[in-house]
Amino acid sequence: MPELSSFSLEGRVALITGAGRGIGLSFAKALSAAGAAVVINDFRAEPAEEACHAIEAAGGKARPAVFDVTDFDGLDAQVDGIVRDLGRLDILMNNAGILIRAPIEDHGMPDFTRVIDINLNAVYAMARACARPMKAQGRGRIINTGSVMSISSRPGVISYVAAKHGVLGLTRGLAAELGPHNITVNAIGPGYILTEMNRHVLGTPFEQAVIDRTPMARWAAPEELTGTAVFLASDAASFVTGQLLMVDGGMTSNSILVESRNLGASS
Ligand code: NAP
Ligand code: GCO
């Protein structure tokens, strides 16, 4: 049995991408509450700085890191700056992501490539940049944000589905490559979470369709993902690597619409 203290992140430094809002901000707050100093990456300065103020007001330590995760040539310098300022880097949460909803006839190569760049290529580029200091420390945790779309699909989000399936492949490939350096690599697979990303489908029949397909019969709040993140970041998960841990209210374990459960065992 792991000691309760093995879930502590005291003394650790964590970088969370896309942490100015939504799921990334919840991850950052939770890692901070568990004891880590957190580096808040975002595209834009304002949300990154606001997130840092909120975490510091709650007694945590936070530093903004404003950069685009697809600025591939600049990532090593960003990571070096974090290590210079905070002394180390223990945890990378690859969370930044976008979604473009469109049927394939309206989803041309610029949009497809943009989604793959942010949601997949940047996951590799960030992992590669952060693996350098983690290898030197002899320890590291990389946690990627997958999705139900890492192992399933639906029409209208094809580049997202391709990217998130790729995130699962990268998670396994990086785990194989970095395991000998005591760096674990895992992914969290959220179900449908109430964030800005899904604002456009709320109030449409899609909102209810998600509920009908989810055994827990509801959408989730970002905070419901954070226990899994703290676990995977901690010493308690020291021998867990290459895994996609679904936090989806049972959606991907369920083959039929939940409303059919009312038919009971007779069906
Ligand atoms: P969100 O509220 O839209 O947040 C996405 C964050 O990523 C924003 O802070 C955004 O910054 C940042 N970002 C986007 N492009 C970036 C870039 N190139 N460089 C740096 N930061 C960038 O979405 P979310 O729902 O929290 O999603 C977070 C992650 O969870 C994504 O990987 C998403 O695919 C995944 N996910 C979400 C759900 C869900 O149901 N919501 C389910 C499964 C997985 P700006 O605000 O500056 O644009
Ligand atoms: C959609 C949703 C999803 C989710 C999420 C599910 O339009 O189907 O936005 O893609 O955000 O990734 O896990």
Side-chain angles (χ1 to χ4, degrees), residues 10-34:
E10 210 63 53
R12 305 291 187 206
V13 174
L15 164 61
I16 304 103
T17 68
R21 69 176 191 211
I23 291 171
L25 179 55
S26 285
F27 282 153
K29 286 180 174 172
L31 297 192
S32 172

Side-chain angles (χ1 to χ4, degrees), residues 146-196:
S147 164
V148 298
M149 299 302 175
S150 293
I151 52 172
S152 64
S153 181
R154 79 170 184 85
V157 291
I158 190 153
S159 53
Y160 189 86
V161 170
K164 293 296 185 182
H165 273 67
V167 167
L168 173 56
L170 265 185
T171 300
R172 290 174 172 160
L174 287 165
E177 188 127 359
L178 298 175
H181 299 279
N182 194 27
I183 300 170
T184 66
V185 187
N186 292 287
I188 298 175
Y192 279 77
I193 314 296
L194 293 162
T195 68
E196 190 62 26

Side-chain angles (χ1 to χ4, degrees), residues 124-147:
Y124 176 65
M126 287 297 306
R128 191 164 176 270
C130 294
R132 288 179 305 116
M134 289 177 181
K135 277 184 187 177
Q137 286 165 200
R139 184 197 182 281
R141 295 277 186 272
I142 298 175
I143 304 167
N144 300 323
T145 307
S147 164

Side-chain angles (χ1 to χ4, degrees), residues 49-260:
E49 280 158 13
E50 273 175 19
C52 288
H53 292 149
I55 286 167
E56 283 177 344
K61 181 172 182 186
R63 170 204 191 273
V66 180
F67 62 90
D68 183 333
V69 291
T70 66
D71 175 19
F72 301 129
D73 292 338
L75 298 183
D76 280 344
Q78 292 291 345
V79 170
D80 289 346
I82 291 163
V83 174
R84 199 169 45 242
D85 286 1
L86 298 177
R88 53 191 298 112
L89 180 60
D90 302 284
I91 301 154
L92 164 67
M93 293 204 70
N94 262 317
N95 171 79
I98 63 165
L99 170 70
I100 299 177
R101 294 188 181 89
I104 56 173
E105 57 273 22
D106 298 332
H107 197 53
M109 287 315 292
D111 283 347
F112 187 91
T113 304
R114 180 87 185 126
V115 173
I116 298 291
D117 264 352
I118 296 175
N119 294 14
L120 179 62
N121 293 342
V123 172
Y124 176 65
M126 287 297 306
R128 191 164 176 270
C130 294
R132 288 179 305 116
M134 289 177 181
K135 277 184 187 177
Q137 286 165 200
R139 184 197 182 281
R141 295 277 186 272
I142 298 175
I143 304 167
N144 300 323
T145 307
S147 164
V148 298
M149 299 302 175
S150 293
I151 52 172
S152 64
S153 181
R154 79 170 184 85
V157 291
I158 190 153
S159 53
Y160 189 86
V161 170
K164 293 296 185 182
H165 273 67
V167 167
L168 173 56
L170 265 185
T171 300
R172 290 174 172 160
L174 287 165
E177 188 127 359
L178 298 175
H181 299 279
N182 194 27
I183 300 170
T184 66
V185 187
N186 292 287
I188 298 175
Y192 279 77
I193 314 296
L194 293 162
T195 68
E196 190 62 26
M197 179 174 276
N198 286 316
R199 191 169 52 82
H200 298 293
V201 295
L202 298 178
T204 72
F206 189 84
E207 180 180 357
Q208 186 60 41
V210 167
I211 295 169
D212 291 344
R213 180 78 164 74
T214 305
M216 297 294 289
R218 62 178 176 82
W219 289 58
E223 292 72 24
E224 296 186 80
L225 303 170
T226 57
T228 307
V230 171
F231 164 63
L232 290 175
S234 74
D235 287 348
S238 55
F239 205 51
V240 180
T241 197
Q243 302 305 307
L244 169 67
L245 191 36
M246 300 309 298
V247 187
D248 65 354
M251 178 181 256
T252 50
S253 68
N254 178 41
S255 67
I256 55 166
L257 291 179
V258 169
E259 59 187 12
S260 307

